[in-house]
Amino acid sequence: MASTRTGNRRTRVHVVSDVHGNARDLARAGDGADALICLGDLVLFLDYADHSRGIFPDLFGKENADRIVELRTARRFAEAREFGARLWGGIGTDRAAAIEKAVRRQYEELFAAFPAPTYATYGNVDMPQLWQEYARPGTTVLDGQRVEIGGWTFGFVGGGLRTPMRTPYEIGDEEYAAKIEAVGEVDVLCTHIPPEVPELVYDTVARRFERGSRALLDAIRRTRPRYALFGHVHQPLARRMRIGATECVNVGHFAGTGTPWALEW
């Protein structure tokens, strides 16, 4: 894979998001592309389609995973937190240490699967403090930053906004807006979460609205990038729409599809 355009040759990038432990397909995601872009959520904490997969069932078993999914899907978040607290209290170990150990195992495999070059930003379930330990030469981690690929400027903003789910990398609206502002005008705006548009933030399977960003929506309208690319919502009501001059695309739930979204120019 080459990171820049040579002569008149076209540039092709593949984009993935919501990898959630799918290292096997991630290792092939850059095939045929000049670069891979990853929009976060590498970690698989709990697979809502298969409750036997992820950190949570590894620690507490599938039956308890079934119960936590039932409570969260019903939006009974307080009960879900109480149930989770009882489980953690029963295993007699430090919660943060146990989660970090499991995340490190996943990161070791996932970062090894990234092709070169890869440009990546964080999702809301990621642990940013660990990424620099696992990012190998050829993998560039960006958050509130820009990079040029094939003559186009790409801006990256990672993480999610605060929710009752309390996932690891949720930040406040003002902090998120500041990162959007730092990126400025770009050809392609790459984020983990979508702009705050009902059709883009509603998950048809989970039957709930995920959090999108109003600051991101305002920036799209103001700076008019060619594309706004994102993930986060696994089964959105709309996978793409135009907002003014900008094509907004949910690049897909890579854990489920194993197929990257392709952009060529």
Side-chain angles (χ1 to χ4, degrees), residues 17 24 32 113 118 127 223 237 240 244 254:
S17 185
R24 181 191 63 185
T118 291
M127 298 178 70
T223 66
L237 190 61
R240 61 193 302 161
F254 186 75

Short mmCIF file of all heavy atoms in Angstrom, two decimals, residues 17 24 32 113 118 127 223 237 240 244 254:
data_model
loop_
_atom_site.label_atom_id
_atom_site.label_comp_id
_atom_site.label_asym_id
_atom_site.label_seq_id
_atom_site.Cartn_x
_atom_site.Cartn_y
_atom_site.Cartn_z
N SER A 17 -15.23 1.13 10.44
CA SER A 17 -15.59 1.62 11.77
C SER A 17 -16.26 0.50 12.52
O SER A 17 -16.77 -0.45 11.93
CB SER A 17 -16.52 2.83 11.67
OG SER A 17 -16.78 3.38 12.96
N ARG A 24 -9.70 -10.72 11.97
CA ARG A 24 -9.52 -11.53 10.76
C ARG A 24 -9.80 -10.71 9.50
O ARG A 24 -8.98 -10.65 8.58
CB ARG A 24 -10.44 -12.75 10.79
CG ARG A 24 -10.30 -13.67 9.58
CD ARG A 24 -11.41 -14.69 9.55
NE ARG A 24 -12.72 -14.05 9.41
CZ ARG A 24 -13.87 -14.70 9.45
NH1 ARG A 24 -13.90 -16.00 9.65
NH2 ARG A 24 -15.01 -14.04 9.30
N GLY A 32 -5.92 -3.71 -1.93
CA GLY A 32 -6.32 -2.95 -3.10
C GLY A 32 -6.44 -1.46 -2.88
O GLY A 32 -6.82 -0.73 -3.80
N ALA A 113 -3.06 -6.30 13.05
CA ALA A 113 -3.77 -6.55 11.80
C ALA A 113 -3.82 -5.33 10.89
O ALA A 113 -4.12 -5.46 9.69
CB ALA A 113 -5.19 -7.03 12.09
N THR A 118 -2.14 3.09 7.85
CA THR A 118 -3.46 3.19 8.44
C THR A 118 -3.55 4.51 9.21
O THR A 118 -2.61 4.90 9.90
CB THR A 118 -3.72 2.03 9.42
OG1 THR A 118 -3.85 0.81 8.70
CG2 THR A 118 -5.01 2.25 10.21
N MET A 127 -9.96 2.78 24.54
CA MET A 127 -9.18 3.33 25.64
C MET A 127 -7.97 4.04 25.04
O MET A 127 -6.92 3.43 24.79
CB MET A 127 -8.76 2.21 26.60
CG MET A 127 -9.95 1.50 27.25
SD MET A 127 -9.48 0.13 28.36
CE MET A 127 -8.74 1.05 29.72
N THR A 223 -18.49 24.42 6.74
CA THR A 223 -17.24 24.23 6.01
C THR A 223 -17.41 23.42 4.72
O THR A 223 -16.51 23.38 3.90
CB THR A 223 -16.19 23.54 6.89
OG1 THR A 223 -16.62 22.20 7.21
CG2 THR A 223 -15.99 24.31 8.19
N LEU A 237 -31.13 4.10 10.32
CA LEU A 237 -32.30 4.27 9.47
C LEU A 237 -31.85 4.69 8.07
O LEU A 237 -32.40 4.21 7.07
CB LEU A 237 -33.23 5.32 10.08
CG LEU A 237 -34.61 5.48 9.47
CD1 LEU A 237 -35.40 4.18 9.60
CD2 LEU A 237 -35.35 6.62 10.15
N ARG A 240 -26.72 6.93 4.33
CA ARG A 240 -26.09 8.11 3.73
C ARG A 240 -27.15 9.13 3.38
O ARG A 240 -28.31 8.80 3.14
CB ARG A 240 -25.25 7.72 2.51
CG ARG A 240 -25.99 7.08 1.38
CD ARG A 240 -25.03 6.45 0.38
NE ARG A 240 -24.09 7.39 -0.17
CZ ARG A 240 -22.94 7.05 -0.78
NH1 ARG A 240 -22.60 5.78 -0.89
NH2 ARG A 240 -22.13 7.96 -1.26
N GLY A 244 -26.39 19.75 2.35
CA GLY A 244 -25.81 20.78 1.50
C GLY A 244 -24.92 20.15 0.44
O GLY A 244 -25.35 19.28 -0.33
N PHE A 254 -18.36 -2.76 10.68
CA PHE A 254 -17.36 -3.67 10.13
C PHE A 254 -17.34 -5.01 10.84
O PHE A 254 -17.07 -6.04 10.22
CB PHE A 254 -15.98 -3.01 10.18
CG PHE A 254 -14.91 -3.81 9.50
CD1 PHE A 254 -14.83 -3.86 8.12
CD2 PHE A 254 -13.98 -4.53 10.24
CE1 PHE A 254 -13.85 -4.60 7.48
CE2 PHE A 254 -13.00 -5.28 9.62
CZ PHE A 254 -12.93 -5.33 8.23
#
